[in-house]
Amino acid sequence: MSSGPAKESKLGDLHSKVADVMISALDHIEKAQEAYSLMDTEVIADKGIKEPELNPALLSVMVRFLDANKITCAPEAGNTMSDLEQRLADKSKKRRAVGNVVHLTDE
């Protein structure tokens, strides 16, 4: 193992890999949410299936790591971080539109 700080190129590679992992996690959750939305509501209720969500702890750890290492970037067109940024913004807008409202029925 080498001593001293990591080379900028290594940190850049790590930054790209973390972005790829985050995008992969978003792809996975989007597919799971799409499958969930196509499921029969009776099946969901009968089996107690919960809507798939992103693991906030995983994302938090990634963001803190990048921040702690002062790894930043300016997104460019076609850049994976630009794609990630847009998808997270879309997800945030959707969550704000829906909110955390649970509709209860009167029995």
Side-chain angles (χ1 to χ4, degrees):
M1 187 154 255
S2 65
S3 62
K7 301 288 183 203
E8 188 175 337
S9 63
K10 281 198 174 211
L11 290 176
D13 290 344
L14 179 61
H15 184 264
S16 294
K17 289 178 182 180
V18 168
D20 290 343
V21 168
M22 293 174 78
I23 289 172
S24 178
L26 287 173
D27 287 341
H28 177 76
I29 198 69
E30 284 178 354
K31 289 176 185 174
Q33 287 173 334
E34 184 177 325
Y36 177 86
S37 71
L38 298 174
M39 292 178 73
D40 186 292
T41 53
E42 286 182 26
V43 172
I44 291 171
D46 289 345
K47 298 195 181 237
I49 300 171
K50 295 181 182 180
E51 182 174 2
E53 295 180 352
L54 283 171
N55 180 338
L58 176 62
L59 293 177
S60 178
V61 167
M62 290 177 182
V63 170
R64 282 186 292 158
F65 177 83
L66 294 172
D67 185 51
N69 288 285
K70 306 213 182 324
I71 300 172
T72 60
C73 72
E76 298 175 5
N79 182 310
T80 57
M81 285 302 293
S82 179
D83 182 40
L84 173 63
E85 181 179 56
Q86 182 60 47
R87 290 170 65 187
L88 286 172
D90 292 345
K91 186 159 188 63
S92 178
K93 284 180 197 173
K94 182 179 176 183
R95 181 169 288 289
R96 279 193 299 259
V98 174
N100 290 332
V101 177
V102 176
H103 299 283
L104 303 174
T105 58
D106 293 332
E107 294 186 31

